[in-house]
Structures are given as structure tokens and as C-alpha cells.
Amino acid sequence: MYLHSGHWSANRRITVLVVCLTMLVALAGLAAWWTGRNETADRLATPAPEASAPGPSSTPPPTGGTGGVAKPPQIADPLAYGKAAAQVLWTYDTRTTTHAQQLAGLHAWVTRETQYADWAGVQAQIPDPVLWSRMHDNGQHATVAISEAHFPSSFKQALADDPAALTQAYIYVVTVTGKQQITWNGGGAGAEDRTATLAVQCRPNADCSLVAIAPSVLP
């Protein structure tokens, strides 16, 4: 298993958890999740929409090709995009894709509206270069079968309470479930049920994109 949240800073964890609670009260809190992230938001200047989302500490987007990482689909359905995003998050092949390529491939899925994008949090889902190298030496790779995606009950309730709030950023909350199959050298294999809550942006007349991954699953 390679998805983890151990690289999240304490400030980021606290901020996201607080905003998750806000989201349970009103959909307007969802926009605040991405726009009011205290020091993180202060660090990220708000560029034009066409600018690329920067990485941690305002580093440029990763380069060097994307290896075997799937390209984001051109779809406008948040549930379908959530499934596809979870698929790419839980699928990897360290035998053929470098750490830099994995980052570059995943970066292509993230919204370019950096006032909402949590690229640092998404990037934290990938092992660091040292661990990736060890996984490569072991021939580790994984696939996933997505079983379903749905809007969490808290999101649906918030949307019913204030439908107009969605039009600020068009960010949808999607919980996705699947089963990950992991294989490594010597015939080793394992399987694990996976569930994650994603924030997906789907503006009208535009393809969806990934905004962030919640630190805890919303049912």
C-alpha cells in the first residue's frame, strides 16, 4: 500500500479537519475549505485561472514525462471523475514509472485554479523518492477495481440547504470505494479495500479536475 497521509503538516491537518466540520453545516464551508487555509493560502498567490497549480513551497510543476500514469478524462460528471481520480491515485507501477513521472502524471489531474487546489496534499499521497526506489527494487505495482462513488450525505444535505453556494467554486465532494491489488517480486501479492473522499471541481461547460483529498472519509 502506498497511499498515506504521514507527510501532511500539522497546520494543514488542523485546517482541513476544521473545514470538514464546517462543510457538515453548510456548503458554503466547502469553499472556505480551499480559500481560507491560513498560512498555506497566504503562501499561494491567486494567479489567473490558466496558471498551473504550484507544488509545495511554490515549486514549479513536476516535469519529465508521466510514464504509465493515465491522463485525466474529459468528462463533466463529478461522480465519474471521482472514480477515475481514485483509480489513478490507487494505481501505480514502480517498475516502469519513476517517482518524478508519477508526480507529473498526477499533477495533470489537479485543477489549475490554485486558490482551490491542494497540490501539496495530493502530492503527499505518493511515497517519497527513497521509498519509491525501494518499491521499484521490489517490483511493486498495483491496480484497482472501483466499485462505486457517491455524494456523502453531509454534502447532499448542505446542497439542499443552500443550492446557490455551489456556484462559487463548483466543487463537489465524492466518496469512492474500490479494491486495490498489489503485486511484487517473487510472486508476492495482496489486496486491500480502499475508500477515499475527494473534492472534485466541475464548472459548467468544462472538464472536471481534482481539487483535494480529504484526510478522513465522509460517508
Side-chain angles (χ1 to χ4, degrees), residues 71-129:
K71 295 181 179 179
Q74 296 180 324
I75 52 178
D77 178 353
L79 289 177
Y81 194 89
K83 287 183 177 181
Q87 180 106 29
V88 79
L89 283 167
W90 296 333
T91 300
Y92 61 92
D93 192 340
T94 62
R95 302 169 302 175
T96 59
T97 303
T98 66
H99 183 266
Q101 288 173 331
Q102 191 75 14
L103 281 181
L106 190 56
H107 187 274
W109 289 70
V110 177
T111 178
R112 295 184 178 183
E113 297 184 36
T114 54
Q115 66 269 41
Y116 302 120
D118 182 20
W119 166 236
V122 174
Q123 181 179 347
Q125 304 301 304
I126 300 179
D128 61 45

Side-chain angles (χ1 to χ4, degrees), residues 130-188:
V130 174
L131 179 55
W132 189 271
S133 177
R134 292 174 180 171
M135 293 163 62
H136 168 77
D137 293 341
N138 204 30
Q140 188 168 327
H141 53 286
T143 59
V144 65
I146 301 298
S147 55
E148 68 92 27
H150 66 273
F151 297 123
S153 57
S154 55
F155 174 79
K156 292 190 290 185
Q157 183 59 54
L159 184 60
D161 292 342
D162 187 6
L166 183 64
T167 60
Q168 177 178 345
Y170 287 95
I171 294 175
Y172 299 80
V173 181
V174 180
T175 295
V176 186
T177 301
K179 182 176 287 291
Q180 186 184 48
Q181 300 284 342
I182 306 172
T183 307
W184 56 89
N185 290 341

Side-chain angles (χ1 to χ4, degrees), residues 5 7-9 11-13 15-17 20 33-35 37 40-41 43-44 52-57 89 106-107 109-125 171 197-201 209-215:
S5 59
H7 295 289
W8 283 64
S9 67
N11 286 342
R12 180 176 293 279
R13 287 176 178 172
T15 302
V16 175
L17 286 174
C20 278
W33 188 353
W34 319 116
T35 59
R37 289 177 294 170
T40 301
R43 257 194 343 261
L44 296 176
S52 297
S57 303
L89 283 167
L106 190 56
H107 187 274
W109 289 70
V110 177
T111 178
R112 295 184 178 183
E113 297 184 36
T114 54
Q115 66 269 41
Y116 302 120
D118 182 20
W119 166 236
V122 174
Q123 181 179 347
Q125 304 301 304
I171 294 175
T197 296
L198 314 178
V200 175
Q201 185 178 49
S209 57
L210 179 63
V211 173
I213 305 166

